[in-house]
Amino acid sequence: MSPINVAKFGGTSVADAAAMNHCADVVLANPATRVVVLSASAGVTNLLVSLAQGELDEAAQDAQLTRLAGIQQAILSALGEPGEVSALIHAQLAEIRTLARQAQLHTDAELADKLIACGELMSTRLFTELLHQRGVKAQWQDVRQLMRTDSRFGKASVDLVATRAQCQAHIAPLLGDTLIITQGFIGADSDGRTTTLGRGGSDYSAALLAEALDAGTIEIWTDVPGIYTTDPRLVTRARPIPEISFVEAAEMATFGAKVLHPATLQPALRQDIPVFVGSAKDPAVGGTWIRASTRTNPLFRAVALRRQQVLVTLHSLNMFHAYGFLAEVFGILARHRISVDLITTSEVSVSLTLDHTGSQSNGEPILGDKVLAELGQLCKVEVETDFALVALIGNHMSEAVGVGSQVFDAIREHNIRMICYGASAHNLCFLVKESEAGHIVNRLHQELLD
């Protein structure tokens, strides 16, 4: 059998029956597509998250449950109320109600994962039925039988060896004549308990399944026609990029581009699987191919923006000509599972940035009291918020002459708090005030990418 294609569709692409039919058109247009990975229908995950937090009273819960049922019922009605699937969806909605009531009494990460995962379980049931009605041999697959993870609920890590074994055993033999429909974002631990990979994890799921099945390509279908030179909502002159390297795309995803989940490219890069990003609404306009190498390698390819950054500055005279200070700092952060992005140092202080956008803290400070107390035993801690991280993405940036002057001349009227340059040939990053970020991105695009 020739290499297969794994196609992933986001929430807006399965928002209603019409959108699902567009997805089916895209899937059936490529005979190589044998595995389809779906997100929950648009709006469903947000409703489930609010129920999982356990903060709503019964009346507010019922209002959310009614909205949730309305999204599913509209698709069922468009499909003609098929008996078996209708029963499955109504049973799932009943389970959601039960779990929401439990969350109101006491919630935890395990219960939240079980509740939030219901969105993908329903969207895939509905899409499978739609394909059946179009005469397609399709099989619904519970991804929890395939995707093996640890028990870190809310942001589980995947066991690659076990996942590959499950995929090869359960679905690889079917791919010759059966289209597999499964869920993104969710998995299960060794005890069969539902876990999630974190928000945005559906892209990652698709790439992991592609890796486990030795796929030839991965398609990520969204509501935009590819990866842009920057966010088109910020810069009207932003344009799609026809092709981009794995390294550049990974930098963009890491530093704020929302088209791809940052972890998506890791499995694709390990197995050198080309990734296509396009719009399910208008597949004919094309999109972006992500490959190991590209025909052109411009100095500046794109500019990315990540908001909600926290700047932490640690001051201590004990740093001066001393050994082990940074090791102690990073040891504390590691114990509390806090990931550091950028870092700069002087003789007596170190500044680092933390990404609040990826936090699972539900509005709580990214550095809790325990972390601050431990750090406070080593040094004076200063925490500042309302920053944004701007990243220029390109090629040979640490080797080219004049990069710094081009970049900083373009934004010379703005203050910059931190610069990281030289560690990678593919990016130049700096921290700015959140309120100035949009103007800075526009200026950089105008001067360097237009």
Side-chain angles (χ1 to χ4, degrees), residues 267-287:
L269 182 58
R270 285 194 294 263
Q271 296 296 319
D272 193 13
I273 307 173
V275 179
F276 177 80
V277 181
S279 170
K281 295 179 180 178
D282 195 0
V285 303

Side-chain angles (χ1 to χ4, degrees), residues 72 76 84-94 122 125-126:
Q72 310 306 315
L76 280 172
E84 182 180 352
V85 175
S86 293
L88 288 169
I89 296 299
H90 288 300
Q92 194 80 71
L93 290 169
M122 291 189 291
R125 288 286 190 190
L126 294 165

Side-chain angles (χ1 to χ4, degrees), residues 87-375:
L88 288 169
I89 296 299
H90 288 300
Q92 194 80 71
L93 290 169
E95 181 182 4
I96 291 170
R97 178 181 293 275
T98 299
L99 293 171
R101 296 292 194 250
Q102 292 175 12
Q104 188 178 19
L105 299 174
H106 172 72
T107 190
D108 56 34
E110 181 180 351
L111 175 60
D113 273 5
K114 190 174 182 180
L115 182 52
I116 295 167
C118 293
E120 279 75 11
L121 297 173
M122 291 189 291
S123 66
T124 48
R125 288 286 190 190
L126 294 165
F127 187 69
T128 304
E129 172 62 23
L130 183 148
L131 289 172
H132 287 163
Q133 293 187 10
R134 292 181 59 160
V136 179
K137 185 179 180 181
Q139 177 175 307
W140 183 85
Q141 172 68 50
D142 189 334
V143 80
R144 293 173 295 185
Q145 295 179 346
L146 308 174
M147 194 73 67
R148 286 286 173 262
T149 75
D150 62 11
S151 303
R152 188 184 173 196
F153 301 101
K155 200 172 183 181
S157 295
V158 176
D159 183 332
L160 301 179
V161 174
T163 296
R164 180 180 180 85
Q166 293 295 104
C167 286
Q168 291 293 330
H170 292 288
I171 62 173
L174 305 175
L175 299 181
D177 65 350
T178 303
L179 186 60
I180 301 297
I181 311 302
T182 195
Q183 307 81 35
F185 174 61
I186 62 179
D189 68 8
S190 58
D191 295 322
R193 295 177 297 177
T194 300
T195 58
T196 66
L197 308 185
R199 295 297 293 268
S202 291
D203 292 350
Y204 185 38
S205 296
L208 288 166
L209 292 173
E211 179 183 30
L213 292 166
D214 301 313
T217 52
I218 303 166
E219 293 175 349
I220 306 293
W221 294 98
T222 69
D223 53 0
V224 294
I227 299 174
Y228 278 68
T229 49
T230 195
D231 188 342
R233 295 170 298 182
L234 274 178
V235 180
T236 57
R237 302 176 306 282
R239 61 188 184 279
I241 302 170
E243 65 170 1
I244 189 171
S245 70
F246 279 127
V247 175
E248 292 171 294
E251 297 275 10
M252 288 190 69
T254 298
F255 290 112
K258 299 187 186 306
V259 177
L260 285 177
H261 185 271
T264 301
L265 296 173
Q266 295 172 4
L269 182 58
R270 285 194 294 263
Q271 296 296 319
D272 193 13
I273 307 173
V275 179
F276 177 80
V277 181
S279 170
K281 295 179 180 178
D282 195 0
V285 303
T288 302
W289 276 103
I290 308 170
R291 310 179 192 273
S293 60
T294 56
R295 287 166 292 180
T296 61
N297 299 287
L299 179 61
F300 300 114
R301 179 84 78 179
V303 57
L305 174 66
R306 191 168 67 194
R307 299 186 182 274
Q308 290 183 263
Q309 302 302 289
V310 177
L311 177 63
V312 181
T313 305
L314 310 174
H315 307 272
S316 175
L317 292 176
N318 293 333
M319 283 183 64
F320 188 72
H321 287 180
Y323 297 101
F325 178 81
L326 287 178
E328 291 186 74
V329 168
F330 282 98
I332 292 170
L333 297 175
R335 284 196 297 276
H336 292 275
R337 292 184 173 270
I338 295 171
S339 177
V340 173
D341 281 332
L342 308 185
I343 179 169
T344 61
T345 64
S346 72
E347 288 290 359
V348 294
S349 65
V350 54
S351 292
L352 47 89
T353 64
L354 309 176
D355 177 22
H356 211 335
T357 61
S359 172
Q360 301 295 309
S361 56
N362 297 321
E364 293 298 317
I366 196 167
L367 288 181
D369 291 340
K370 290 184 179 179
V371 186
L372 291 173
E374 288 188 49
L375 291 173

